[in-house]
Amino acid sequence: MAEHFAAVDVIRAKRDGKRLTDPQIDWVIDAYTRGVVADEQMSALAMAIFLNGMESAETARWTRAMVASGERLSLSVDRPTVDKHSTGGVGDKITLPLAPLVAACGAAVPQLSGRGLGHTGGTLDKLESIPGWRAQLTTEEIAEQLTKVGAVVCAATEGLAPADRKLYALRDVTGTVEAIPLIASSIMSKKIAEGADALVLDVKFGSGAFMKSADDARRLAEALVGIGVDHGLKVSALLTDMSVPLGRAVGNALEVAESVDVLRGGGPADVVELTVALAREMLSLAGISTDPAEVLASGGAYDTWAQMISAQGGDPDAELPRAQHVHVVEAPEDGVLATLDAYSVGVAGWRLGAGRARKEDPVQAGAGVLCLAKPGDEVRKGEPLLELHTDTPDAIPAALRDLEGSYTVAGSAPVRDSLVLDVIRG
């Protein structure tokens, strides 16, 4: 029979800086999932974890308990399975070209994704701008699509890590989102329950990322990789720069269109760079030697994309939604665009309708920001610099205020090295 604890004793232990025992962790996660531990008690425990942290073994056990709160997918496919997770950013559409690219190279990619909140976009919101595409699949449909197409991007099933779903919502309203042990266990519980053989993490840092500094991103990446290793997962993490929007499109349908350009062998250089870097790491973990750069440049991954979209009811050839109103921001002077702040652009896109303030809010498929110039580009006074797309023109003045001071034009721009700062492998 499983041990029983008083919730207040578990809270006091972590409040006083003690390490929670494995039985305490197993009990509190299970009891919270079943409603035996109340929200206010879990809120107190989450704040104690936020203030006092967790040892790596505690975090790994916490993750294990969250995985055990629900079902685990069984992916019986005849290819190695490998997934990718991004900690989120502005213009981060990488899953869209990456999943079909890695599948086209011979792996199977089961990508369970989420929706956007605040200034960071959500993969499901982007794909739902494609007419007919559906996010909700059954476990059987996921397995069938992986076998036939090699890639699936969809919402997590209801039975997957229900403890995380409940705890995530609680953290969002109790000021405990930023606790690295809780972030790491939240991400990894879903990914471990998903059942892939390997996982590559894109841990972002910079103004448009959740982690603002490279040091904080590294700590999170090390925690994530450590949990993966503890669970027998092949795992690695790339630290990537999110100080500037990724690509030129920020917004749902706008990012889908840009992703299709990349899949056809074109698209912005930074999107191509990061897609290829993540694909190489995923294929390495899967034991596949195909060069994804060649496959992407040839347009060879587009057919897999079209099959993936069609399999989920979407029309890959359909015209994407367009916003009813477009407002142009002009360059203030001649020169070189020196800076373009990712966070400001992301907030402006959210304000225009591309994102949501609460999980239940709707999004506009065509809303967002097009960055017609990126740092390093020459600009001329009066030429278009940014385009603001929205169905609600009353939102444009506030979006313009969000963009004040977000870009500078100078005689030159700092040279940015590779988007990838480092790779941490398990």
Side-chain angles (χ1 to χ4, degrees):
M1 181 180 292
E3 287 188 63
H4 178 85
F5 298 88
V8 69
D9 291 337
V10 180
I11 295 165
R12 283 188 183 123
K14 183 48 67 179
R15 180 200 67 186
D16 295 340
K18 295 178 182 177
R19 183 201 183 282
L20 298 182
T21 67
D22 290 352
Q24 281 177 322
I25 291 170
D26 293 346
W27 176 82
V28 79
I29 293 294
D30 176 65
Y32 179 58
T33 306
R34 292 185 291 111
V36 174
V37 169
D39 278 349
E40 59 267 26
Q41 292 173 311
M42 186 56 89
S43 297
L45 181 56
M47 184 59 74
I49 292 169
F50 175 81
L51 294 172
N52 293 320
M54 277 181 157
E55 296 176 9
S56 59
E58 273 182 290
T59 306
R61 188 67 182 207
W62 187 275
T63 307
R64 192 178 296 275
M66 293 210 297
V67 173
S69 72
E71 64 185 17
R72 291 186 69 158
L73 296 186
S74 178
L75 303 173
S76 301
V77 293
D78 58 359
R79 321 187 197 189
T81 54
V82 57
D83 189 16
K84 162 259 181 189
H85 176 81
S86 168
T87 56
V90 178
D92 182 12
K93 69 227 13 115
I94 298 299
T95 289
L96 278 63
L98 180 65
L101 171 62
V102 173
C105 292
V109 184
Q111 177 87 58
L112 304 188
S113 296
R115 303 189 183 280
L117 192 63
H119 76 281
T120 59
T123 298
L124 300 183
D125 299 323
K126 296 167 191 178
L127 288 168
E128 282 181 338
S129 68
I130 300 172
W133 187 88
R134 63 188 178 97
Q136 297 292 338
L137 299 181
T138 65
T139 302
E140 293 74 23
E141 286 173 325
I142 292 170
E144 182 181 0
Q145 187 169 324
L146 276 179
T147 299
K148 291 183 177 179
V149 179
V152 58
V153 181
C154 64
T157 61
E158 284 296 314
L160 213 67
D164 175 65
R165 190 178 306 111
K166 197 173 179 185
L167 182 56
Y168 187 93
L170 189 72
R171 287 166 52 216
D172 198 37
V173 296
T174 57
T176 54
V177 168
E178 295 85 352
I180 284 181
L182 298 180
I183 298 169
S185 59
S186 174
I187 291 170
M188 295 302 290
S189 64
K190 294 189 288 286
K191 291 302 176 183
I192 291 164
E194 184 183 281
D197 301 321
L199 173 67
V200 174
L201 299 146
D202 180 3
V203 182
K204 298 187 177 298
F205 63 91
S207 75
F210 187 70
M211 294 296 175
K212 303 305 179 187
S213 74
D215 287 344
D216 285 344
R218 185 180 298 277
R219 280 192 287 273
L220 175 58
E222 289 170 349
L224 292 164
V225 170
I227 293 170
V229 169
D230 182 81
H231 285 78
L233 198 62
K234 298 174 186 174
V235 60
S236 59
L238 277 64
L239 299 183
T240 68
D241 188 354
M242 183 33 75
S243 55
V244 174
L246 193 52
R248 296 182 181 272
V250 177
N252 300 308
L254 296 174
E255 292 189 41
V256 172
E258 186 166 88
S259 299
V260 170
D261 287 344
V262 172
L263 284 160
R264 291 188 183 278
D270 57 348
V271 178
V272 172
E273 176 194 345
L274 188 52
T275 300
V276 169
L278 288 164
R280 282 188 172 133
E281 193 67 23
M282 292 171 73
L283 292 168
S284 174
L285 293 184
I288 296 172
S289 59
T290 303
D291 183 1
E294 293 181 3
V295 176
L296 190 63
S298 72
Y302 178 79
D303 286 345
T304 304
W305 158 265
Q307 292 171 40
M308 185 179 82
I309 297 304
S310 297
Q312 289 172 242
D315 181 356
D317 298 319
E319 186 174 348
L320 293 168
R322 296 186 180 186
Q324 297 173 23
H325 303 272
V326 177
H327 179 89
V328 176
V329 177
E330 298 177 347
E333 56 186 307
D334 292 353
V336 174
L337 187 64
T339 61
L340 181 62
D341 180 65
Y343 177 74
S344 300
V345 173
V347 172
W350 162 76
R351 189 90 62 187
L352 294 165
R356 51 173 65 82
R358 300 172 303 167
K359 287 192 175 77
E360 59 269 25
D361 291 345
V363 296
Q364 296 177 27
V369 179
L370 271 183
C371 305
L372 302 178
K374 295 286 291 289
D377 291 348
E378 289 191 15
V379 297
R380 297 290 179 192
K381 182 178 180 179
E383 287 184 350
L385 189 66
L386 303 168
E387 283 183 358
L388 311 187
H389 293 234
T390 185
D391 293 335
T392 49
D394 289 349
I396 291 173
L400 291 171
R401 288 193 293 273
D402 293 326
L403 292 167
E404 288 176 3
S406 67
Y407 54 88
T408 56
V409 176
S412 63
V415 177
R416 186 165 74 157
D417 295 328
S418 169
L419 281 171
V420 181
L421 176 67
D422 199 2
V423 182
I424 297 168
R425 296 186 171 93

